[in-house]
């Protein structure tokens, strides 16, 4: 389907300019689909130049977006850093709403667009700023560490943000700076449980869940391991702790990508959102991906068509109240200013202390 009912022709010139992207997506896109997608990609890339815009694309975007129009691709941490660094006038967030808000918080002078306002997140909608204010009353003096998968209102009540790539480091740093041995880590209960197993700091957690990762079970993974004993199992830390217990590796989407690209294992099970495997596959041609496939319905709201329309009509602009935005920015900036880990942070599954639990609010 062409955007705005307008069919862009698949000319030999467009075929040539989009060839590098085709080489990366051809395992997942049919030649017929490409005849519609390639002209749209060329048109999006032309509009980006015209409007001085960049597209920040999360690892869960479909391959034609990820490889065709993404200027910066990566995990939540990488995209946030890029939003702070970029000198473009416009940011189009090919991801979900909290990511676009984070970009706006870090770059309030830029126009930030999200192609579909309904691209939410079950974690972000699990908690409000008012909830965090109540939590702070209940636990005075303890630092509040908040996952970036939250609204600006929640970030504004936060001391320091974290992502799955740096959560252990942030929790330990917060405890050190506040001189305490307990930290509030909200809203992902499973991330909190997985972090608690990696540190001596006691964790107070909220019962938010990622609707994609909460569905994976240890039984599913054990079944896959039995069927493919030589496969490496990589899991995202938003999965239940029991899933990480039977995985070979756990880390953010960027850490999983890095693991596959560097090690090029023969077979891999990616316990995360579906598109991830399709995007990594382009960099690991000899790896076979076995997909326990769960789709994120929010990420999947973003398409080439609505990215094109976002650029064409300057929509949908994401705004953040400046006072809320400035308070939220401090929390995100504190995270960004942390020294980067030598390698993308991983969860040490061998040393994980399984007996350690969290205190649920
Ligand atoms: P990452 O920060 O690992 O990319 O995760 C973001 C996300 O939404 C995972 O569900
Ligand atoms: Fe939110 Fe989960 Fe979707 Fe990520 S995958 S955006 S955490 S619902």
């Amino acid at each position: 389907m062409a955007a705005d009912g307008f069919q862009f022709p698949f000319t030999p010139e467009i075929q040539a300019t989009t060839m590098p992207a085709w080489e990366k997506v051809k395992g997942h896109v049919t030649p017929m689909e490409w005849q519609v997608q390639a002209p749209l990609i060329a048109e999006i890339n032309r509009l980006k130049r015209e409007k001085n815009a960049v597209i920040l694309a999360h690892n869960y975007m479909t391959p034609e977006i990820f490889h065709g129009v993404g200027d910066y691709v990566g995990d939540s941490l990488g995209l946030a850093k890029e939003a702070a660094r970029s000198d473009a006038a416009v940011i189009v967030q090919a991801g979900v709403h909290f990511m676009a808000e984070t970009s706006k918080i870090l770059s309030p002078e830029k126009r930030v667009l999200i192609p579909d306002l309904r691209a939410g997140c079950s974690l972000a909608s699990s908690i409000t700023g008012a909830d965090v204010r109540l939590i702070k009353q209940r636990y005075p003096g303890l630092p509040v560490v908040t996952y970036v998968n939250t609204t600006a209102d929640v970030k504004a009540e936060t001391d320091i943000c974290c992502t799955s790539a740096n959560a252990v480091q942030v929790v330990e740093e917060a405890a050190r700076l506040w001189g305490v041995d307990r930290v509030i880590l909200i809203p992902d209960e499973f991330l909190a449980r997985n972090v608690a197993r990696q540190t001596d700091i006691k964790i107070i957690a909220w019962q938010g869940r990622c609707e994609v990762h909460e569905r994976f079970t240890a039984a599913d993974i054990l079944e896959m391991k039995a069927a493919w004993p030589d496969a490496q199992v990589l899991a995202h830390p938003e999965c239940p702790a029991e899933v990480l217990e039977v995985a070979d590796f756990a880390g953010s989407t960027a850490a999983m990508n890095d693991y596959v690209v560097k090690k090029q294992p023969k077979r891999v099970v990616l316990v995360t959102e579906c598109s991830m495997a399709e995007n990594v596959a382009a960099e690991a041609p000899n790896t076979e991906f076995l997909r326990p496939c769960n789709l994120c319905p929010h990420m999947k709201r973003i398409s080439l068509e609505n990215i094109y329309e976002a650029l064409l009509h300057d929509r949908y602009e994401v705004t953040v109240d400046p006072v809320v935005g400035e308070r939220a920015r401090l929390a995100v900036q504190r995270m960004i200013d942390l020294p980067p880990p030598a390698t993308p942070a991983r969860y040490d599954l061998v040393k994980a202390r399984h007996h350690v639990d969290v205190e649920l609010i």
Side-chain angles (χ1 to χ4, degrees), residues 97-98 100-106 108 112 151-153 155-156 317-329:
H97 195 268
F98 77 80
E101 259 192 352
T102 307
S103 294
K104 184 67 184 175
I105 288 165
L106 289 165
V112 176
T151 61
D153 279 348
K155 289 187 176 81
E317 185 161 5
V318 174
T319 55
V320 176
D321 174 277
V323 177
V324 172
E326 181 49 25
R327 291 178 66 207
R329 191 188 64 76

Side-chain angles (χ1 to χ4, degrees), residues 58-60 74-77 98-99 147 149 163-164 210 213 236 238 252-254 299:
H58 186 260
N59 287 325
Y60 293 162
D75 66 357
S76 313
L77 181 61
F98 77 80
M99 295 176 175
Y147 200 29
N149 299 38
T163 74
S164 60
C210 161
H213 293 95
H236 194 277
E238 288 169 11
S252 77
T253 54
M299 292 279 183

